Amino acid sequence: MSLIKTTKSAAKIAEAFQSGDAKQMESAWDAFGNEIAESIRADFDLYSQSKDDQVLANRGYRTLTAKETAWYTGIAQALKRAESKQAFIDILGDEHVDDLMPETVIEDVLRYLIETRPLLSKIRFANAGYSTKWIINDSTVQKGSWGTIDSKVTNEIKGALKVLDITQAKYTAFCIIPLDLLDMGPVFLDAFIRAVLAEALGYGLEDAAVNGTGVNMPIGMTKNPNGDFNQSTGYPDKEKVAVTSFAPVDYGKLVAKVARTEKGKMRDIQGVVLLVNTIDYLTKVMPATTVLAPEVGGYVRDLFPFPTEVIKSNVVKTGTAVLGVLEDYTLAVGGKRNGAITFDDSVHFLDDARTFKLIQHAAGRAYDNTSFAVLDISNLDPAYVTVKNVNAFAAAAATVETQSDTSETSAVEDAAELPVA
């Protein structure tokens, strides 16, 4: 997956997601795809000269299984034909029974995302394969009680489970493949598809986990899963908590908001995560959590009164931060058409490119509405260091003591001058 790490265009995708502008997103994806393609062409030329498989391995290319090789070969043949849509039907079957990308490819992409994206690595990220339902544990409910086994206990246990419908939420990513890449063979086609799929899924899954409305997509951390659901707009936003300081007395109150479940059960949390986009981190969070420490010869950053890990994710909206326990969020990826690849005829094809779409099913939600708090950090103040001048304090104390002694001496002298009866 080194292809993704070296691309310069990936950063522009984050900006496009933030803007919400369709043309900007299209331009960013086009630039990203072109850069990946150029990198693969260079590697192909190098491999054509050396025929050294280790060179490809060092650059992130995989040794494909027999099933993967056959699948990529079939896809390449279908995409190269002029009558591409009919070729897809011929190769994949009328009912598209076998149009599923080999699960090993999806697993590799998901593994890469978990390793490289801190947000996705912290949540309960589950590859559900081709399952259609995913059962998660609901920590907000007491899961049993002492006493006789009766219907009350049964209902409590039943209420401790939530079922996510994975197939209901479908994420679609479009990909344009230059035709010359199809002639390079399955290994190079695999590298291109995985690079594009990983970038698309990475931003898509992060955005859904944070901002998802719940309408045919996961319920994001910033949404209230107990609020009134609207068929068009989904679940309502959580009410933001205005924050002006990360001082202990203020920050403790913020952490306390996620320290108890909806049912009143205390969470045993040893630390929390603060999600914020890069610009807000640099202009709001960093100034509020950074101090000059002469004893270490420089600045110390990310200082919080309670153990906190700051994760920068550009899907978080400007002026907003999300505080909570990421382990309380479950994202299940799978579905009966998990990783399906289909021909797309909604785009007028160029002679040197073919378009297809990759379909990924996923569902997710937090355990309850108190797992995360949404903060308004637009007026967050910089950090202030309280300095105690020990010498000045000692001098002031001495002055007070001197004044006290003087007062007592004066009182004695006055008493000596009083007439004796």
Side-chain angles (χ1 to χ4, degrees), residues 32-271:
F32 174 77
N34 288 336
E35 192 168 347
I36 292 294
E38 284 300 319
S39 177
I40 290 178
R41 290 186 184 103
D43 289 341
F44 177 76
D45 291 340
L46 180 63
Y47 177 73
S48 298
Q49 297 172 12
S50 66
K51 299 297 181 182
D52 187 353
D53 293 337
Q54 189 59 43
V55 172
L56 296 183
N58 293 339
R59 284 168 167 74
Y61 292 84
R62 297 165 65 240
T63 300
L64 304 184
T65 65
K67 183 177 181 180
E68 291 171 345
T69 299
W71 186 80
Y72 280 116
T73 300
I75 293 299
Q77 291 175 354
L79 288 172
K80 283 190 290 186
R81 290 172 56 176
E83 61 279 14
S84 297
K85 186 169 186 177
Q86 183 58 46
F88 258 71
I89 296 175
D90 293 342
I91 291 177
L92 302 177
D94 291 335
E95 296 181 0
H96 296 264
V97 176
D98 299 319
D99 63 346
L100 301 179
M101 178 180 291
E103 193 169 359
T104 49
V105 177
I106 299 296
E107 289 174 348
D108 181 73
V109 170
L110 296 181
R111 187 183 306 112
Y112 170 80
L113 292 178
I114 293 173
E115 291 174 352
T116 58
R117 290 181 176 266
L119 192 159
L120 297 181
S121 70
K122 293 288 184 180
I123 64 177
R124 294 180 184 272
F125 198 101
N127 180 10
Y130 296 144
S131 302
T132 59
K133 303 288 183 181
W134 186 257
I135 301 175
I136 64 173
N137 180 40
D138 182 1
S139 65
T140 66
V141 182
Q142 187 66 32
K143 300 173 187 61
S145 61
W146 291 101
T148 59
I149 298 177
D150 54 20
S151 59
K152 180 180 179 181
V153 177
T154 303
N155 290 335
E156 284 182 350
I157 296 175
K158 188 182 299 183
L161 302 175
K162 286 189 175 79
V163 180
L164 304 181
D165 187 340
I166 299 171
T167 58
Q168 190 176 21
K170 180 178 67 175
Y171 180 70
T172 304
F174 292 86
C175 182
I176 299 177
I177 298 183
L179 288 181
D180 63 325
L181 293 186
L182 301 177
D183 295 323
M184 296 180 185
V187 171
F188 294 92
L189 181 57
D190 167 74
F192 181 85
I193 288 180
R194 284 188 303 116
V196 174
L197 180 59
E199 203 68 17
L201 279 181
Y203 284 104
L205 293 178
E206 279 196 16
D207 186 52
V210 174
N211 304 310
T213 63
V215 180
N216 298 324
M217 66 188 310
I219 305 171
M221 304 168 192
T222 59
K223 302 296 180 178
N224 178 3
N226 300 330
D228 294 332
F229 180 78
N230 183 288
Q231 293 293 340
S232 300
T233 59
Y235 290 95
D237 291 333
K238 288 177 180 285
E239 185 176 347
K240 287 187 178 182
V241 181
V243 179
T244 58
S245 167
F246 280 160
V249 65
D250 299 314
Y251 199 70
K253 293 177 182 178
L254 296 177
V255 176
K257 292 181 178 295
V258 301
R260 190 194 300 269
T261 69
E262 289 179 354
K263 303 297 183 181
K265 181 181 177 182
M266 291 290 185
R267 289 189 175 94
D268 183 19
I269 54 175
Q270 304 301 317

Side-chain angles (χ1 to χ4, degrees), residues 259-309:
R260 190 194 300 269
T261 69
E262 289 179 354
K263 303 297 183 181
K265 181 181 177 182
M266 291 290 185
R267 289 189 175 94
D268 183 19
I269 54 175
Q270 304 301 317
V272 292
V273 166
L274 186 73
L275 302 178
V276 63
N277 68 47
T278 303
I279 298 299
D280 278 341
Y281 173 77
L282 295 174
T283 60
K284 300 294 182 182
V285 175
M286 187 185 72
T289 60
T290 302
V291 297
L292 180 61
E295 64 275 11
V296 299
Y299 288 93
V300 180
R301 60 182 176 84
D302 294 346
L303 294 177
F304 290 88
F306 186 81
T308 302
E309 179 181 359

Side-chain angles (χ1 to χ4, degrees), residues 239-415:
E239 185 176 347
K240 287 187 178 182
V241 181
V243 179
T244 58
S245 167
F246 280 160
V249 65
D250 299 314
Y251 199 70
K253 293 177 182 178
L254 296 177
V255 176
K257 292 181 178 295
V258 301
R260 190 194 300 269
T261 69
E262 289 179 354
K263 303 297 183 181
K265 181 181 177 182
M266 291 290 185
R267 289 189 175 94
D268 183 19
I269 54 175
Q270 304 301 317
V272 292
V273 166
L274 186 73
L275 302 178
V276 63
N277 68 47
T278 303
I279 298 299
D280 278 341
Y281 173 77
L282 295 174
T283 60
K284 300 294 182 182
V285 175
M286 187 185 72
T289 60
T290 302
V291 297
L292 180 61
E295 64 275 11
V296 299
Y299 288 93
V300 180
R301 60 182 176 84
D302 294 346
L303 294 177
F304 290 88
F306 186 81
T308 302
E309 179 181 359
V310 178
I311 293 181
K312 293 181 283 294
S313 175
N314 291 328
V315 302
V316 181
K317 296 179 180 178
T318 300
T320 301
V322 181
L323 179 74
V325 184
L326 281 188
E327 292 81 358
D328 264 14
Y329 192 91
T330 296
L331 185 65
V333 178
K336 62 183 180 180
R337 286 178 58 79
N338 179 41
I341 179 173
T342 60
F343 178 84
D344 181 69
D345 59 359
S346 62
V347 180
H348 295 289
F349 295 105
L350 303 175
D351 291 336
D352 58 350
R354 288 290 183 270
T355 304
F356 65 88
K357 59 183 178 182
L358 293 156
I359 299 172
Q360 179 67 59
H361 294 268
R365 60 162 294 157
Y367 280 128
D368 64 16
N369 193 38
T370 65
S371 296
F372 299 94
V374 182
L375 313 180
D376 179 356
I377 59 172
S378 55
N379 294 314
L380 183 61
D381 289 334
Y384 295 97
V385 180
T386 301
V387 179
K388 181 178 180 181
N389 190 326
V390 179
N391 294 331
F393 179 79
T399 300
V400 172
E401 185 177 352
T402 301
Q403 291 175 346
S404 176
D405 293 341
T406 302
S407 298
E408 290 177 2
T409 302
S410 177
V412 172
E413 291 176 348
D414 291 343

